[in-house]
Amino acid sequence: MTRFSANISMMFTERPLRERFAAAGAAGFPGVEIQFPYELAADDMARLARLAGVEIASFNTPIGNRAAGEVGIASLPRREADFRQHVVLARDYATAVRCRNVNVLVGVCLDGGNKDRCINVLYDNLYYAASELQAAGIRLTIEPMNTTDRPGYLINTLDEASAVIDRIGHPNLKIEADLYHMAMMEEDIPASLRRNLHNIGHVQFADWPGRHEPGTGALDLPAIVALLEAGGYGSWFSAEYVPSETTERTLSWYEPWRSAAT
């Protein structure tokens, strides 16, 4: 059974964060994801999800110091101890809210452009994080991001993410594949998904151009869902888009799957 979740950091923002769990549940989503949940106490978030009847599908480790240009610290030399603290925080948070997927933002290399050094730091940090989360029954993912929205980001395509995963060789490390970022990088989405399916652990989507809801651009979501399901993908499909109007008025794309689940 295909399961869809809604990213409540980007959707249902007409409401305060605490009310978005119930809004997503009322719209028929069995799950929600949230980019950075740490403003809520873990037990409070678990209670909100339980009352709304939704699972927590995924969230990110802390982003770091945005003002200093950090977009995750997993690749930053001299920040290894901070990264480990972030992993432990995310592990404990995920355990409390019963989330089984945590995503690490690999970040931008800020070490004077020494990309090789940043990559080596990333390898060590991801192996540590994958092991730490595996012991708690939580999967670790990394997300490639496009170079237009995230200039300097270290991993930009699914092939690059797969190369990192294959190099590290940890069974608990997978890809968070975002169809919007793939489109922005002009990847051949069906071919890239097929080629990297064995490494994909979580899927996000938004239409393109514009990053709005499916139906506003070129995304053929039913075809992508069918392709992944035929290949054996069995995890979440997470809507992560900027609604072009109020969220509830952008959900016509979801009706076939919502109807099939009821």
Side-chain angles (χ1 to χ4, degrees):
M1 174 70 71
T2 301
R3 295 193 301 168
F4 285 85
S5 62
N7 188 305
I8 58 173
S9 297
M10 296 177 66
M11 300 167 64
F12 301 102
T13 57
E14 303 86 1
R15 300 169 174 80
L17 178 59
R18 294 173 56 83
E19 297 177 12
R20 297 176 202 168
F21 297 86
F29 289 100
V32 299
E33 64 176 30
I34 182 169
Q35 290 173 342
F36 305 103
Y38 308 103
E39 66 184 83
L40 294 174
D43 58 351
D44 193 21
M45 183 174 171
R47 182 182 64 84
L48 291 169
R50 184 173 63 252
L51 291 174
V54 297
E55 295 181 43
I56 308 298
S58 185
F59 61 83
N60 296 323
T61 53
I63 195 169
N65 185 348
R66 291 177 186 259
E70 294 177 357
V71 190
I73 65 171
S75 60
L76 299 185
R78 300 177 296 277
R79 297 293 300 280
E80 292 90 344
D82 294 333
F83 176 77
R84 292 191 174 208
Q85 290 179 355
H86 287 180
V87 170
V88 170
L89 172 64
R91 179 204 64 197
D92 292 347
Y93 207 98
T95 300
V97 303
R98 298 184 178 181
C99 176
R100 290 294 170 258
N101 194 89
V102 168
N103 185 63
V104 165
L105 301 175
V106 303
V108 173
C109 185
L110 301 175
D111 187 42
N114 189 344
K115 187 173 180 179
D116 288 342
R117 183 180 182 191
C118 291
I119 288 290
N120 287 330
V121 170
L122 177 65
Y123 290 157
D124 290 343
N125 279 339
L126 289 179
Y127 193 92
Y128 164 80
S131 299
E132 192 72 19
L133 293 180
Q134 183 179 46
I138 301 162
R139 179 176 53 211
L140 181 71
T141 57
I142 54 173
E143 178 185 11
M145 293 190 185
N146 75 81
T147 55
T148 300
D149 293 340
R150 293 294 189 193
Y153 203 75
L154 277 176
I155 298 176
N156 309 123
T157 68
L158 261 62
D159 286 343
E160 291 174 8
S162 272
V164 169
I165 289 170
D166 293 344
R167 166 66 173 77
I168 293 171
H170 199 293
N172 195 43
L173 180 60
K174 298 294 183 180
I175 299 171
E176 181 172 277
D178 188 315
L179 305 183
Y180 166 77
H181 287 297
M182 294 176 71
M184 290 292 290
M185 290 300 296
E186 299 184 348
E187 292 193 62
D188 181 332
I189 292 177
S192 185
L193 290 173
R194 290 190 187 97
R195 192 165 56 246
N196 295 288
L197 183 57
H198 63 292
N199 279 330
I200 296 175
H202 190 76
V203 174
Q204 296 174 323
F205 61 87
D207 217 326
W208 72 90
R211 205 172 189 177
H212 299 307
E213 63 274 7
T216 58
L219 174 67
D220 188 348
L221 184 60
I224 296 299
V225 171
L227 181 158
L228 288 167
E229 288 182 332
Y233 177 75
S235 192
W236 292 96
F237 293 94
S238 287
E240 189 191 44
Y241 62 78
V242 179
S244 62
E245 48 187 324
T246 60
T247 303
E248 281 84 357
R249 296 182 68 180
T250 69
L251 295 176
S252 60
W253 64 268
Y254 183 45
E255 189 55 42
W257 288 289
R258 178 170 50 194
S259 298
T262 57

